[in-house]
């Protein structure tokens, strides 16, 4: 990019530089950490592997017409889940559509590219905003824009929660909307930006809107505008936000109501972290899951700390920005304001999700410091002392590792070195020969004003004077004071001291060199003076400024890359991680594709899951589903049937059970070895197989319930075996009495509290020799369960709060090893262990890994012959044909069907059904499933799904759109009238120009 381009377009140049620095540092960090896609370590940790990658894979299928379902219903997960709330939560960002450009088996790479692109766009948007707030060096704006994009919150938290990055992009854009509201410009564009931000991710957009509102209030205070004009600007901003949020309402309301119907999960209470941990997160390479990641780079931090001591900046500017930063920092530690930041609900997981707002304010404060000139040495010394004090306090935190100190020292040295070099070039410029400065005075409108706004110069070795404010205009634009009338000129100095585009101080904060004072712009050219020594001095200053840029950029890239690499490595130590797409997923996907028969029957991708949303990754239609919006009725129904879950009920798992397969029409099931990526799984190289079974259709007909009988989820009892029979309509299990013994052969203690059953403890290790070989000793030291089952029946064990393995002994067939995992956030699913021997005596050996419980009635003996009979009866009375299209299910029933038609899908809110052509009504519930009463005359049942909140959101969105159209029409009419009456237009311009230019120059 040549100098003339930079002189005319500083904002695009700054945005491109910020994006380039961001991408370089982000990718370099992953290369250093040897993380995907630059190394063997996976980056799919926690929700990135469990939710974001699977949801993007499902979006890929939707965009290519390969998904089972559409925008309303996702038939692949949770036996039929509402998809529009998930779309609004995880996939509504415009960046998400880029997955369509990648191959299906490169979905991990697609999500990575989207993450990098979002981060780069956040840096570019911030760089653009900085030059809108105050004129200054374009490369400095780019550097600080990248500091915002590479803040600790972005690198440590949002990089594996990519939906949050939309808030990182939205915040500077919303601040720009506030600037337009101040000047009364671009109202339509402002509304569209607000709408897009809230559509992309309403959660972080809410926080970004609060942050932009605080910034706007400060700008109004600094402007010194009359109260009436300040209120008018605030009113314009409020109306812009209201209309924008209204346009996003169709999606926002759906997500809101989706949260109301979601399984509650865990209720948490906010506890602020210690001060030393907060200060520690300001430093590079620190990491802590539950603390605010405030790192913004040493350069930005030093400049922000120097602002209160920077005498070149007006007192109001110094006080206002410093107080705002401190106030927001304190609000993060106080429970009432913490709740306000998080929409009045403490989140599960990281409690400091609003941290990016404080990072933005630190960066903007740093920009204001630099825009008034590089701070003097005393101010830099004071800032360095504050940084040293913060580091001393932070040294007591366990979040600071030994490698943080050399990184901090190098970054501080680079930052101070670069800033001092810049300060030196400014000092040499101010002491340049009078002949050299003479060329800039006519265009600058006076030496005193030009000197005051020296920081606004935007080029390397550039000459002040491009677009400077005319003499007699009072304080420099950007201080918040009104700018008087005068003549703004552009003065160029060919020869001595000439350099790339100086940005005018009266530019209204846009950095473009336009005049802020009222009056015509005059372009003047002054002959060169002192071309010898002055030219050499200019070249020397250019070299020094270039060296300063190298130091500052190098420090920023180095410490940001180190911080990101450290976070990537440390996350793997305490968060669950998952392998990217590979041979395992490819084999499962091929098996599912070959067995798929939807909607005639479902194909479950299997009990041995790879991530929490396998059906969306490898295909099929199963129970497994993980979302922040997992329906309460789904989680409670599957739990009552013996299913397991993690994430406190929001990640329901596949249930490998013959009865539930019949209930939910699972006709094919994939069986895979345990995921070998997880080190705690047993080593197993068996191939992927598929089992098939006859099952009823998706819609069956059941007897009508007794009048007044409960048919909701609340009707389930404590036994999952009896609950399965309730849904099946036939008794198929024998639930025998149990004899539980400890490893010593004694009767264990009874469990206390609401968990009826016996306590299973980890047996104490015994030495070998007294009881023979080590193998016999280990077998004899295991707890056991004894029961009597019918010969040949299938034996199941239900122990939701047991951790370890269970195995049948003395069975004619090869027994299965059931693996159970439970803790405070997990319960284990029911497991099939094998076939009962001819004697019927069943003995189950337990190998607990922690103390747990086995409930009364834990063993169920399934009569497979009775199950086949029940399935045949349901097939005979079930639907002859079922068609499924997104949110609509139609079933053709045998003539004369009476009772209740049951759709094998959870009765989530939004289902409406009708028999034949009758009026649709809210669907009934049949023990948690969708149901339609039949009177014997109907031969067709139709059920349609509309997510709750969609109609309300559509109404609000329509009203907002209508209001926006009316306002746009009125504006167009006024402009047309003004065009027809030039005298009125001239009068209006004369009256409004000083006001508009004053507000735009804040």
């Amino acid at each position: 990019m040549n100098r003339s381009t930079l002189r005319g377009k500083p904002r695009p140049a700054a945005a491109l530089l910020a994006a380039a620095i961001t991408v370089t540092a982000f990718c370099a960090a992953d290369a250093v950490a040897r993380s995907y896609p630059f190394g063997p370590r996976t980056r799919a940790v926690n929700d990135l592997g469990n939710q974001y990658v699977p949801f993007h894979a499902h979006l890929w299928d939707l965009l290519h017409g390969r998904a089972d379902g559409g925008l309303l219903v996702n038939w692949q997960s949770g036996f039929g889940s509402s998809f529009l709330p998930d779309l609004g939560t995880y996939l509504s960002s415009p960046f998400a559509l880029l997955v369509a450009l990648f191959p299906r088996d490169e979905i991990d790479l697609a999500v990575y590219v989207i993450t990098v692109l979002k981060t780069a766009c956040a840096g570019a948007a911030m760089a653009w905003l900085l030059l809108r707030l105050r004129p200054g060096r374009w490369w400095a704006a780019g550097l600080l824009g990248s500091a915002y994009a590479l803040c600790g919150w972005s690198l440590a938290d949002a990089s594996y929660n990519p939906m949050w990055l939309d808030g990182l992009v939205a915040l500077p854009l919303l601040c720009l909307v506030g600037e337009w509201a101040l000047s009364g410009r671009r109202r339509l564009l402002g509304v569209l930006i607000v709408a897009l931000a809230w559509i992309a991710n309403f959660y972080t957009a809410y926080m970004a809107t609060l942050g932009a509102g605080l910034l706007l209030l400060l700008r109004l205070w600094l402007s010194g505008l009359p109260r009436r004009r300040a209120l008018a600007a605030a009113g314009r901003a409020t109306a812009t936000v209201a209309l924008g949020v209204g346009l996003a309402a169709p999606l926002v309301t759906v997500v809101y109501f989706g949260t109301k119907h979601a399984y509650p999960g865990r209720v948490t209470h906010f506890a602020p972290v210690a001060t030393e941990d907060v200060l520690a997160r300001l430093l590079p390479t620190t990491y802590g899951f539950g603390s605010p990641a405030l790192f913004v780079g040493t350069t930005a931090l030093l400049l922000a700390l120097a602002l209160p001591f920077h005498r070149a900046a007006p007192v109001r500017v110094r006080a206002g920005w410093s107080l705002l930063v401190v106030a927001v920092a304190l609000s993060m530690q106080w429970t009432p304001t913490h709740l306000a930041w998080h929409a009045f609900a403490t989140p599960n997981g990281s409690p400091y999700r609003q941290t990016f707002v404080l990072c933005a304010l630190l960066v903007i404060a740093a920009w204001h410091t630099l825009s008034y000139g590089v701070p003097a040495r005393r101010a830099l010394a004071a800032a360095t002392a504050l940084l040293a004090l913060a580091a001393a306090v932070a040294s007591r935190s366990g979040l600071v590792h030994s490698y943080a100190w050399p990184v901090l020292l190098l970054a501080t040295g680079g930052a101070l070195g670069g800033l001092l070099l810049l300060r030196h070039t400014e000092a040499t410029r101010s002491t340049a020969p009078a002949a050299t400065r003479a060329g800039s005075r006519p265009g600058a409108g006076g030496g005193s004003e030009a000197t005051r706004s020296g920081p606004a110069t935007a080029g390397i070795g550039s000459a002040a004077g491009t677009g400077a404010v005319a003499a007699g205009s009072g304080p420099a634009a950007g201080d918040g004071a009104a700018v008087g009338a005068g003549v703004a000129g552009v003065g160029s100095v060919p020869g001595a001291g000439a350099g790339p585009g100086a940005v005018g101080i009266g530019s209204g904060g846009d950095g473009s060199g336009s005049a802020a004072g009222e009056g015509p712009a005059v372009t003047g050219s002054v002959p060169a003076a002192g071309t010898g020594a002055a030219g050499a001095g200019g070249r020397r200053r250019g070299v020094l400024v270039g060296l300063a840029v190298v130091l500052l950029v190098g420090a920023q890239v180095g410490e940001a890359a180190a911080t990101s690499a450290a976070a990537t490595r440390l996350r793997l130590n305490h968060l669950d991680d998952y392998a990217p797409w590979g041979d395992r997923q490819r084999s499962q996907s091929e098996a599912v594709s070959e067995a798929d028969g939807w909607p005639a029957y479902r194909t479950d991708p299997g009990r041995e899951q790879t991530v929490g949303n396998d059906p969306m990754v490898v295909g099929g239609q199963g129970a497994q589903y993980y979302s922040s919006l997992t329906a309460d009725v789904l989680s409670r129904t599957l739990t009552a049937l013996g299913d397991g879950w993690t994430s406190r009920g929001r990640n329901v798992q596949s249930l490998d059970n013959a009865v539930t397969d019949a209930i939910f029409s699972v006709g094919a099931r994939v069986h895979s070895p345990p995921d070998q990526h997880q080190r705690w799984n047993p080593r197993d190289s068996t191939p992927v197989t598929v089992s098939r079974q006859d099952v009823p259709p998706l819609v069956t007909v059941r007897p009508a319930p007794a009048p007044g009988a409960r048919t909701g989820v609340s009707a389930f009892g404590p036994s999952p075996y009896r609950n399965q029979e309730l849904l099946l309509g036939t008794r198929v299990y024998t639930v025998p009495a149990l004899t539980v013994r400890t490893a010593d052969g004694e009767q264990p203690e009874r469990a206390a509290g609401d968990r009826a059953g016996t306590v299973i403890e980890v047996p104490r290790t015994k030495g070998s020799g007294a009881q023979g070989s080590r193998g016999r000793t280990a077998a004899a030291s295991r707890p056991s369960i004894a029961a009597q089952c019918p010969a040949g029946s299938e034996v199941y064990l239900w122990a939701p709060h047991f951790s370890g393995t269970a195995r049948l002994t003395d069975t004619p067939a090869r027994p299965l090893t059931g693996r159970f995992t439970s803790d405070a956030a997990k319960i284990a699913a029911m497991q099939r262990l094998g076939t009962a021997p001819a004697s019927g005596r069943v003995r189950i050996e337990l190998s607990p890994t922690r103390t747990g419980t086995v409930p009364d009635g834990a063993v169920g003996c399934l009569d497979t012959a009775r199950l086949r009979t029940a399935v045949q009866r349901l097939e005979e009375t079930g639907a002859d044909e079922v068609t499924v299209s997104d949110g609509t299910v139609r079933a053709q029933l045998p003539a004369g069907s009476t009772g209740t038609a049951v759709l094998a899908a959870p009765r989530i809110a939004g289902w409406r059904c009708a028999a034949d052509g009758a009026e649709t009504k809210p669907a009934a519930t049949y023990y948690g499933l969708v149901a339609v009463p039949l009177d014997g005359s109907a031969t067709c049942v139709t059920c349609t799904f509309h997510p709750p909140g969609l109609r309300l959101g559509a109404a609000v969105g329509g009203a907002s759109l209508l209001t926006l159209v009316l306002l746009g029409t009125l504006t167009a009419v006024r402009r047309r009238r003004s065009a027809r009456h030039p005298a009125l237009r001239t009068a209006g311009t004369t009256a409004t120009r000083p006001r508009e230019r004053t507000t735009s120059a804040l």
Side-chain angles (χ1 to χ4, degrees):
M1 186 173 292
N2 58 42
R3 293 184 176 183
S4 62
T5 301
L6 298 182
R7 181 183 299 114
K9 299 180 179 179
R11 290 186 195 172
L16 288 175
L17 178 62
I21 294 175
T22 299
V23 172
T24 300
F26 196 101
C27 294
D30 289 330
V32 170
R34 301 185 67 204
S35 176
Y36 179 90
F38 302 103
R41 292 189 175 91
T42 180
R43 68 183 303 270
V45 298
N46 206 356
D47 289 346
L48 178 60
N50 265 331
Q51 292 181 300
Y52 305 121
V53 171
F55 274 111
H56 280 81
H58 186 68
L59 178 62
W60 190 99
D61 292 336
L62 276 175
L63 295 174
H64 290 82
R66 290 174 43 177
D68 294 326
L71 293 178
L72 299 180
V73 178
N74 169 17
W75 287 106
Q76 295 183 245
S77 304
F79 291 137
S81 59
S82 179
F83 181 65
L84 199 56
D86 285 331
L87 177 73
T89 302
Y90 301 102
L91 299 171
S92 53
S93 170
F95 294 94
L97 298 174
L98 296 176
V99 296
L101 305 179
F102 291 80
R104 180 62 165 76
D105 57 358
E106 294 290 351
I107 193 66
D108 296 273
L109 180 62
V111 174
Y112 181 82
V113 171
I114 289 172
T115 302
V116 176
L117 185 58
K118 285 184 180 182
T119 310
C121 288
M126 177 56 75
W128 196 285
L129 171 66
L130 295 179
L131 284 174
R132 178 63 178 84
L133 293 174
R134 285 279 302 168
R137 300 174 174 88
W138 68 269
W139 59 262
L143 177 67
L144 291 179
S146 69
Y148 168 70
L150 296 169
C151 66
W153 180 87
S154 171
L155 300 176
D157 295 334
S159 62
Y160 68 95
N161 293 282
M163 67 177 186
W164 294 354
L165 289 171
D166 291 292
L168 194 73
V169 180
L171 178 56
L173 295 179
L174 293 176
C175 291
L176 279 173
V177 171
E179 293 298 304
W180 298 336
L182 278 173
S183 58
R185 302 169 57 213
R186 299 176 180 173
R187 298 178 184 179
L188 176 59
L189 181 58
V191 171
L192 295 178
I193 287 178
V194 173
L196 186 61
W198 279 72
I199 289 173
N201 185 252
F202 84 98
Y203 185 54
T204 51
Y206 165 79
M207 303 175 189
T209 303
L210 292 181
L214 292 175
L215 186 143
L216 177 61
L217 291 176
L218 176 60
R219 297 278 286 164
L220 288 172
W221 180 72
L222 291 177
S223 68
L225 291 173
R227 179 177 299 179
R228 183 176 180 181
R229 289 168 58 190
L231 291 176
R236 287 193 297 268
T238 303
T240 300
V241 171
L243 289 173
V245 175
L247 291 179
L251 201 59
V252 173
T253 56
V254 166
V255 176
Y256 172 78
F257 282 98
T259 61
K260 295 301 180 182
H261 294 286
Y263 189 78
R266 180 183 62 172
V267 177
T268 58
H269 300 281
F270 174 68
V273 298
T275 302
E276 55 264 27
D277 289 342
V278 175
L279 295 177
R281 299 308 304 275
L282 286 167
L283 308 181
T285 71
T286 57
Y287 177 77
F289 180 76
S291 56
L294 295 171
F295 167 79
V296 290
T298 305
T299 300
L301 183 58
L302 281 173
L303 288 172
L305 293 175
L307 180 57
F309 312 101
H310 192 21
R311 295 184 177 181
V315 174
R316 288 168 65 91
V317 171
R318 287 187 280 165
W321 283 103
S322 300
L323 289 176
L324 180 60
V325 169
V326 172
V328 171
L330 293 177
S331 73
M332 297 171 62
Q333 294 287 83
W334 189 38
T335 300
T337 47
H338 159 83
L339 292 173
W341 279 112
H342 294 92
F344 302 97
T346 297
N348 291 322
S350 173
Y352 291 98
R353 301 182 182 184
Q354 80 281 35
T355 304
F356 72 99
V357 176
L358 181 54
C359 293
L361 294 178
L362 284 170
V363 168
I364 296 174
W367 173 251
H368 277 77
T369 302
L370 195 58
S371 69
Y372 287 100
V374 179
R377 294 189 178 184
R378 289 184 179 180
L380 287 177
T384 305
L386 288 178
L387 177 59
L389 178 61
V393 176
S395 64
R396 299 179 298 180
S397 171
L399 304 179
V400 180
H401 300 275
S402 58
Y403 48 77
W405 302 116
V407 175
L408 177 62
L409 289 175
L410 288 174
T412 304
L416 287 176
L419 292 175
L420 290 174
L421 281 175
L422 285 179
R423 178 70 183 177
H424 177 69
T425 59
E426 290 182 359
T428 56
R429 181 186 304 278
S430 63
T431 58
T436 304
R437 295 199 304 270
S440 64
R441 286 188 180 123
S448 60
E449 188 66 20
T451 303
R452 164 179 280 174
S453 19
T457 303
I460 298 176
S462 60
T466 305
V469 176
S473 61
D479 295 353
V483 180
V487 178
V490 179
S492 60
V493 185
V503 177
I505 60 171
S507 59
D510 63 359
S512 63
S514 61
E518 184 182 2
V522 180
T523 303
S525 179
V526 180
T531 57
R539 288 191 295 270
R540 181 174 179 273
R541 287 194 299 272
V543 171
L544 292 179
V545 173
L547 179 59
V549 173
V550 170
L551 286 174
L552 294 173
V553 173
Q556 176 68 37
V557 172
E559 63 178 333
T563 301
S564 180
T568 299
R569 295 290 296 271
L570 292 172
R571 276 198 300 266
L572 292 173
N573 294 336
H574 76 277
L575 294 178
D576 50 317
D577 60 272
Y578 307 90
W581 180 280
D583 293 338
R584 175 181 175 86
Q585 292 90 335
R586 188 174 298 108
S587 299
Q588 290 175 327
S589 180
E590 292 173 354
V592 168
S593 179
E594 292 176 1
D596 193 22
W598 175 259
Y601 60 85
R602 287 184 168 105
T603 300
D604 195 303
R607 167 73 193 148
E608 290 292 347
Q609 67 183 45
T610 306
V611 296
N613 277 303
D614 274 350
M616 284 191 273
V617 177
V618 301
Q621 311 85 26
Q624 192 187 51
Y625 178 49
Y626 180 26
S627 168
S628 298
L629 304 171
T630 300
D632 180 80
V633 63
L634 171 66
S635 186
R636 294 188 186 278
T637 299
L638 292 181
T639 302
L641 298 179
D643 197 12
W645 44 252
T646 62
S647 299
R648 294 175 171 83
R650 292 190 172 181
N651 185 358
V652 292
Q653 301 173 347
S654 174
L655 181 57
D656 190 354
N657 179 275
V659 178
T660 54
D661 282 351
I663 293 170
F664 290 101
S665 190
V666 179
R669 178 172 290 276
V670 176
H671 302 275
S672 306
D675 184 10
Q676 301 301 288
H677 176 78
Q678 307 300 343
R679 57 186 179 274
W680 55 79
N681 282 338
R683 301 300 93 183
D684 191 342
S685 58
T686 56
V688 174
T689 61
V690 178
S691 62
R692 299 173 183 268
Q693 54 274 345
D694 291 334
V695 293
L698 203 63
V699 177
T700 57
V701 177
R702 313 297 181 89
R710 293 185 304 163
T711 57
V713 177
S714 60
F716 286 127
S719 171
Y721 304 111
R722 299 305 179 217
N723 294 336
Q724 290 180 13
E725 293 171 343
L726 195 63
L727 265 175
L728 184 67
T730 305
R731 181 63 62 91
V732 292
Y733 280 109
T734 298
V735 182
L738 306 181
T739 302
V740 184
R741 291 291 181 263
T742 66
D744 298 327
E746 299 177 355
Q747 186 173 354
E749 298 178 358
R750 295 289 297 176
D754 56 352
R755 296 180 183 176
T758 55
V759 178
I760 303 297
E761 296 181 341
V762 178
R764 293 183 295 271
T765 303
K766 295 184 179 180
S768 59
Q771 300 185 35
S773 68
R774 178 174 299 180
R776 290 196 302 273
T777 301
S781 63
R782 292 173 182 158
S784 64
I785 301 173
Q788 187 70 30
C789 286
S793 60
E794 287 190 351
V795 180
Y796 286 85
L797 177 63
W798 170 64
H801 302 290
F802 169 73
S803 287
T805 60
R807 187 180 180 88
L808 274 180
T809 62
D810 302 327
T811 179
R814 181 181 178 183
L816 303 173
T817 299
R819 294 185 293 112
F820 298 77
T821 303
S822 70
D823 56 27
K826 306 181 184 73
I827 64 170
M830 178 187 296
Q831 300 270 3
R832 185 170 72 90
L833 300 183
T835 306
S839 63
R841 290 190 294 272
V842 173
R843 183 175 182 274
I844 303 173
E845 289 183 346
L846 305 176
S847 299
T849 56
R850 67 175 68 185
T851 299
T853 60
V854 171
D856 299 332
V859 175
C861 311
L862 175 63
D863 188 328
T864 55
R866 288 186 179 181
L867 177 61
R868 284 193 297 269
T869 301
V871 169
Q872 290 173 0
R873 183 169 60 253
L874 291 174
E875 287 178 328
E876 293 171 356
T877 61
D880 297 325
E881 182 183 2
V882 178
T883 59
V884 179
S885 176
D886 192 5
T888 302
V889 178
R890 291 185 176 88
Q892 296 293 331
L893 303 178
S897 297
T898 59
T900 302
V902 177
L903 170 63
R907 191 356 188 142
I908 56 179
W911 279 109
R912 299 178 66 88
C913 298
D916 280 342
E919 181 183 359
T920 60
K921 298 179 180 180
T925 179
Y926 186 82
Y927 305 108
L929 305 186
V930 178
V932 186
L934 301 174
D935 59 6
S937 62
T939 59
C940 178
V941 169
T942 302
C943 292
T944 57
F945 180 79
H946 295 280
L950 182 59
R951 290 183 176 88
L952 174 62
V956 174
S960 299
L961 181 60
L962 179 61
T963 303
L964 191 62
V965 170
L966 291 176
L967 291 176
T969 303
L970 290 175
T971 302
V973 170
R974 288 178 179 176
R975 288 178 178 175
R976 181 170 297 181
R977 289 180 177 178
S978 177
R980 291 178 179 178
H981 302 82
L984 294 177
R985 181 181 58 185
T986 303
T989 302
T990 304
T992 59
R993 180 180 295 178
R995 179 195 61 173
E996 292 176 351
R997 292 199 172 185
T998 299
T999 54
S1000 65
L1002 296 179

